[in-house]
Amino acid sequence: MNLYIKTHNILILPNAIKRLVLLAFLCLTSQVFAQGERGINFIRGTFENAQKLAKQHGKLVFISYENYGGNSRWMNQNVFPTSEVGSFFNENFISLKINSESLRDKSANSEFKYYGASSAYFFFTADGELIYKSHFASNPKELLADANRAIKVNENFLSLEYLDKMFSKGEQSPEMFYLYSLRRLQAAHAGSNKEREKSIKELDKAIRGYALGLDKKSLGSEQNMLLLCEYLYQTNKTSDDELFKILVSNSENLKGFNEENANGIRQRVSRIIDRSFNQAMLNKNEDLMNSAVAAISPFWYEKSTPLYNKEMLMTSYRIEFYEITKNWENYSQSITSYLNYIDAIDAEVLTNQSVAEFKKYEDKSKFTSEEWTLLRDDILSGYNEEVAYQLRLYGWRFAQNITDKEQLKLPLKWLGKSLRISENPIAMKTYSQLLYKVGREEEAKKYAEDAIKVAKGQVIARDFREEDSKSQ
């Protein structure tokens, strides 16, 4: 039976269907109006649609370029829906969401491209020129501050067309070149791949000519370091690039920079290093790997600890590379050097040093003697567990790839110490396999049996804890 009768282009629905349609319509309209009252009114459509509406209404364009991750969900649930954000944005912006992981959004907004983040937000002019971008607002106040900053920048905004004319007329002061270069980088993202390649090629020639014509002092200035770093990052350059080497040679200057700018450069450099390392592994390029690893040290900023420092990070990169490229000689040397260092760590000494640091604030902590004992035990246990884990992890990796019986004595030593610190069934099983490899079969059998017993005991203990917590 047909659910509707079509008469003179009028759709006549049965009463039951009418009620359902009316109910659905009321729900839909109530949600739309509620969203408008509560928060930002995001339009449906494309970046191009948003630009047209912005021109019609004399507004700017706001784009939330998001994914399915936690930051995007947080902003959608806790920032965008608030009334203060909604009223301000609805008055000043045409707002659009583009999901970087949605095939539909990618297809509809194929001309909108942003290289460098999968979750960010942007402010554009109605002509599509980027004014300002940021990455995550943890609360409405932060997002409103970014929006106000974008509006302020727009008040003195120079179009790229104007900058092109100024640049071609010979206005190429350092300040002008910096602004022009960043704007050219932004513009490159908006065009097609062919346009992007052409724009980047032209900009590459200009930036290299500019940078290589400066003296060392000028090159190391905050503005020029920011320019070089942004250019290298946005155009997917690697650590063997001449401009990156200039950054490395001037890394000491970061100490005198604005903290936000210095941190921004370090973050960009860390991503360039990761990109370079991945490229090195893909192409088995040891020179590129070495240049990437060498750049870790001059830009290292985090406070080192005995179990986390730049030397250990650099070693882990090398181990990974030599394993992928099957360079077993360098692989063996790297792991041996690393685990000999780990093996020499005295957890008791480190614990005493850590407790001494806490003791400096003894008047504020007001711990009892029992609490100080518990604290010391916790710190010692933590150090021991980390040492055991490193010996276990890299000892196992060594044993998986090295077959020489003489060399296998080393992971036996490392895993043996790991087991003395912590009875781990996986480590016991690996230790058993190693014993078989070197011909100590009786010992191997014993450790294999012990591994099963320890694993069962841990499962029983875990089940007991779970039952105990339920009963409580």
Side-chain angles (χ1 to χ4, degrees):
M1 180 184 292
N2 290 330
L3 290 178
Y4 61 85
I5 304 168
K6 192 171 183 182
T7 309
H8 301 296
N9 295 322
I10 298 174
L11 198 64
I12 302 175
L13 299 172
N15 289 334
I17 301 298
K18 279 183 182 179
R19 285 194 293 272
L20 287 172
V21 170
L22 179 61
L23 180 61
F25 175 76
L26 290 173
C27 289
L28 179 61
T29 53
S30 65
Q31 288 173 0
V32 169
F33 285 118
Q35 184 185 10
E37 291 169 2
R38 288 200 311 269
I40 298 177
N41 263 330
F42 286 97
I43 68 164
R44 290 184 179 180
T46 64
F47 183 36
E48 187 179 8
N49 297 145
Q51 286 178 250
K52 289 178 181 177
L53 285 171
K55 287 179 182 178
Q56 291 172 14
H57 297 280
K59 297 182 179 182
L60 301 175
V61 176
F62 169 69
I63 289 186
S64 170
Y65 189 61
E66 54 191 31
N67 55 24
Y68 298 115
N71 287 352
S72 295
R73 289 201 303 272
W74 172 266
M75 292 191 71
N76 284 329
Q77 294 171 9
N78 301 286
V79 181
F80 295 152
T82 60
S83 58
E84 56 182 327
V85 167
S87 60
F88 186 83
F89 271 74
N90 296 336
E91 181 181 349
N92 294 284
F93 301 95
I94 298 297
S95 303
L96 171 70
K97 288 181 182 178
I98 298 176
N99 192 308
S100 63
E101 297 177 11
S102 164
L103 294 177
R104 182 182 63 189
D105 278 6
K106 283 182 179 180
S107 175
N109 293 281
S110 59
E111 292 305 307
F112 181 88
K113 297 171 184 174
Y114 175 61
Y115 298 82
S118 56
S119 178
Y121 50 92
F122 304 84
F123 299 89
F124 291 89
T125 66
D127 291 322
E129 290 197 58
L130 181 62
I131 301 170
Y132 184 73
K133 65 181 179 183
S134 191
H135 281 278
F136 173 60
S138 60
N139 56 57
K141 185 178 177 181
E142 289 182 3
L143 182 60
L144 288 170
D146 283 334
N148 277 299
R149 195 173 293 120
I151 290 172
K152 188 174 180 181
V153 170
N154 185 61
E155 290 172 358
N156 301 303
F157 191 75
L158 298 175
S159 70
L160 187 54
E161 182 182 2
Y162 176 81
L163 290 174
D164 273 330
K165 288 178 181 177
M166 294 285 288
F167 195 73
S168 63
K169 287 180 180 178
E171 174 53 58
Q172 297 184 20
S173 64
E175 293 76 17
M176 171 66 181
F177 192 86
Y178 177 71
L179 177 62
Y180 178 70
S181 300
L182 288 182
R183 296 290 299 287
R184 268 273 154 233
L185 273 174
Q186 294 165 356
H189 296 321
S192 65
N193 286 337
K194 190 174 181 180
E195 291 170 333
R196 170 180 163 78
E197 287 173 11
K198 182 182 177 183
S199 184
I200 293 298
K201 190 175 181 180
E202 292 173 353
L203 186 56
D204 184 80
K205 184 179 179 181
I207 283 185
R208 289 180 193 280
Y210 167 73
L212 298 177
L214 295 173
D215 57 42
K216 182 172 175 59
K217 184 178 179 182
S218 298
L219 264 176
S221 71
E222 188 164 352
Q223 181 169 277
N224 285 325
M225 290 277 278
L226 283 166
L227 172 62
L228 294 183
C229 188
E230 189 70 13
Y231 172 73
L232 291 163
Y233 174 71
Q234 295 284 7
T235 55
N236 297 319
K237 297 295 188 291
T238 50
S239 58
D240 57 352
D241 191 285
E242 187 176 17
L243 296 182
F244 185 82
K245 292 174 183 176
I246 290 173
L247 272 184
V248 173
S249 67
N250 288 284
S251 57
E252 278 293 312
N253 295 2
L254 267 66
K255 294 175 182 177
F257 289 1
N258 169 280
E259 186 177 357
E260 185 178 350
N261 287 340
N263 288 336
I265 289 174
R266 290 189 183 97
Q267 288 171 2
R268 289 286 199 262
V269 165
S270 70
R271 290 171 184 171
I272 294 170
I273 289 171
D274 284 339
R275 176 198 299 154
S276 304
F277 181 70
N278 292 334
Q279 192 69 28
M281 288 203 296
L282 186 66
N283 297 318
K284 298 183 179 180
N285 185 336
E286 188 168 356
D287 288 337
L288 181 56
M289 182 275 291
N290 284 328
S291 71
V293 170
I296 292 172
S297 183
F299 286 98
W300 183 268
Y301 185 62
E302 296 174 272
K303 186 177 180 181
S304 296
T305 67
L307 292 171
Y308 183 67
N309 54 50
K310 61 187 178 184
E311 288 77 17
M312 292 171 72
L313 180 63
M314 292 163 74
T315 301
S316 69
Y317 270 102
R318 291 191 183 99
I319 290 170
E320 190 77 21
F321 178 83
Y322 293 134
E323 184 172 30
I324 292 293
T325 58
K326 302 186 186 304
N327 184 335
W328 301 124
E329 183 179 352
N330 285 339
Y331 176 79
S332 171
Q333 289 175 1
S334 296
I335 289 190
T336 300
S337 174
Y338 177 65
L339 287 192
N340 282 341
Y341 167 78
I342 294 293
D343 189 30
I345 288 175
D346 190 326
E348 288 281 351
V349 171
L350 296 182
T351 300
N352 291 337
Q353 291 173 353
S354 296
V355 172
E357 286 296 314
F358 279 104
K359 287 280 188 180
K360 292 177 182 178
Y361 308 98
E362 189 170 5
D363 57 326
K364 294 181 180 179
S365 59
K366 297 180 180 179
F367 283 177
T368 64
S369 58
E370 184 180 356
E371 287 171 334
W372 279 115
T373 301
L374 289 172
L375 175 64
R376 189 185 187 285
D377 290 345
D378 282 344
I379 294 172
L380 179 60
S381 175
Y383 278 130
N384 276 326
E385 283 296 331
E386 185 60 29
V387 167
Y389 171 76
Q390 295 293 327
L391 292 170
R392 182 167 70 242
L393 172 65
Y394 284 99
W396 173 80
R397 289 177 66 174
F398 186 100
Q400 293 299 303
N401 295 302
I402 303 299
T403 56
D404 181 80
K405 285 188 176 183
E406 194 62 31
Q407 289 193 65
L408 286 177
K409 291 178 181 178
L410 287 170
L412 277 173
K413 170 191 168 186
W414 298 324
L415 282 162
K417 180 171 181 177
S418 175
L419 288 173
R420 288 194 296 276
I421 295 172
S422 172
E423 278 194 334
N424 181 285
I426 297 174
M428 294 173 80
K429 183 179 177 183
T430 306
Y431 193 68
S432 170
Q433 292 170 343
L434 277 172
L435 289 169
Y436 270 114
K437 283 186 178 182
V438 297
R440 293 159 61 178
E441 294 183 6
E442 286 301 316
E443 290 179 78
K445 184 178 179 182
K446 176 183 179 301
Y447 271 97
E449 292 170 350
D450 288 348
I452 296 171
K453 291 177 184 177
V454 171
K456 285 182 178 178
Q458 289 179 353
V459 170
I460 293 170
R462 184 197 65 203
D463 291 344
F464 177 78
R465 286 195 300 271
E466 288 177 356
E467 287 298 320
D468 189 49
S469 63
K470 287 177 184 177
S471 65
Q472 291 176 359

